[in-house]
Amino acid sequence: DGEIPLLEERWRAVTSAGAVLTSKFFGSFSVCVSRAGRNVHKLLDIIVDNFESYRDMCLYKGRTVSFLKRAQILVADIATCLEGKGLGQFDNLSELTMFADYRVPQALVALNVLRYSEELRGLLKRRESVEPGSELECEVRGMSIVACDELVERVREIARERGEGEVEVSPTLVDYFLWLWARKNRDLIEELPFHRCRTIYY
């Protein structure tokens, strides 16, 4: 009998999405995908411009920063579920970033890819909430994207050093790996709790 977090906000998101699909896209999200023409950036624009609950952005030091976690994972899931065929075929899927949320940053810290300040570590150990859209939340999510991008480049460098040529690796593949690794190694990663942020965006 647990409570569903942000139930009212989630209900509004679902009903709003249904109304937009009905009024603009003939009741089918496949129309959105078709209009994107196999371009992930065009599809992301369609999603963000038309579906309010996917506008995952924050203001950081006077600049608007876009994370679009749910929008990007939606695009990636379409490609995966359709095995890259038909509506699941995109010409630039590798240009998506990792899906910035709470679990992957925690894994990156456990693997010493990211290092948190003592102040942040203390906040997490006390299990205090992080305000959505705050500078702290933006920094944790933003540095996770940077870290995964750098891991991609390092994997490519290692492959070239070993004479293996170009390897198929992307930030989304790194994200999938880290997310699965975190599930299998919960005892290890739970030494430092993930950042707690009550939001509809992840």
Side-chain angles (χ1 to χ4, degrees), residues 91-110:
D91 296 331
N92 52 349
L93 191 66
S94 64
E95 294 177 13
L96 296 177
T97 71
M98 59 84 70
F99 313 124
D101 56 9
Y102 60 94
R103 185 64 76 186
V104 171
Q106 185 186 30
L108 289 167
V109 171

Side-chain angles (χ1 to χ4, degrees), residues 40-41 44 71-73 75-76 92-99 149 170-172:
V40 297
H41 299 297
L44 288 173
Q72 291 198 94
I73 205 167
V75 176
N92 52 349
L93 191 66
S94 64
E95 294 177 13
L96 296 177
T97 71
M98 59 84 70
F99 313 124
D149 285 347
S170 67
T172 56

Side-chain angles (χ1 to χ4, degrees), residues 150-167 169:
E150 292 187 355
L151 284 173
V152 167
E153 291 306 312
R154 184 58 185 140
V155 169
R156 289 172 177 165
E157 288 176 6
I158 292 173
R160 288 193 292 268
E161 290 168 1
R162 293 178 176 177
E164 297 173 3
E166 294 299 319
V167 294
V169 61

Side-chain angles (χ1 to χ4, degrees), residues 73 76-77 80 99 104 171-181:
I73 205 167
D77 283 349
T80 300
F99 313 124
V104 171
T172 56
L173 290 177
V174 171
D175 184 289
Y176 291 146
F177 170 83
L178 290 170
W179 191 84
L180 291 171
W181 180 87

Side-chain angles (χ1 to χ4, degrees), residues 128-194:
E128 296 179 11
S129 296
V130 174
E131 189 69 22
S134 64
E135 286 192 2
L136 178 56
E137 189 215 12
C138 287
E139 288 172 356
V140 169
R141 299 179 76 194
M143 290 310 298
S144 299
I145 293 173
V146 172
C148 287
D149 285 347
E150 292 187 355
L151 284 173
V152 167
E153 291 306 312
R154 184 58 185 140
V155 169
R156 289 172 177 165
E157 288 176 6
I158 292 173
R160 288 193 292 268
E161 290 168 1
R162 293 178 176 177
E164 297 173 3
E166 294 299 319
V167 294
E168 185 178 344
V169 61
S170 67
T172 56
L173 290 177
V174 171
D175 184 289
Y176 291 146
F177 170 83
L178 290 170
W179 191 84
L180 291 171
W181 180 87
R183 285 179 62 90
K184 294 177 181 178
N185 295 274
R186 288 194 172 179
D187 291 343
L188 176 61
I189 67 170
E190 290 298 339
E191 291 182 11
L192 185 68
F194 56 78

Side-chain angles (χ1 to χ4, degrees), residues 23-59:
S23 63
K24 293 186 176 182
F25 302 104
F26 305 98
S28 176
F29 188 71
S30 65
V31 176
C32 301
V33 181
S34 295
R35 290 182 183 178
R38 294 168 45 174
N39 186 304
V40 297
H41 299 297
K42 288 183 179 179
L43 183 51
L44 288 173
D45 286 342
I46 291 171
I47 294 169
V48 174
D49 289 346
N50 292 280
F51 301 94
E52 184 177 358
S53 67
Y54 285 88
R55 294 172 193 161
D56 177 14
M57 305 172 187
C58 71
L59 190 65

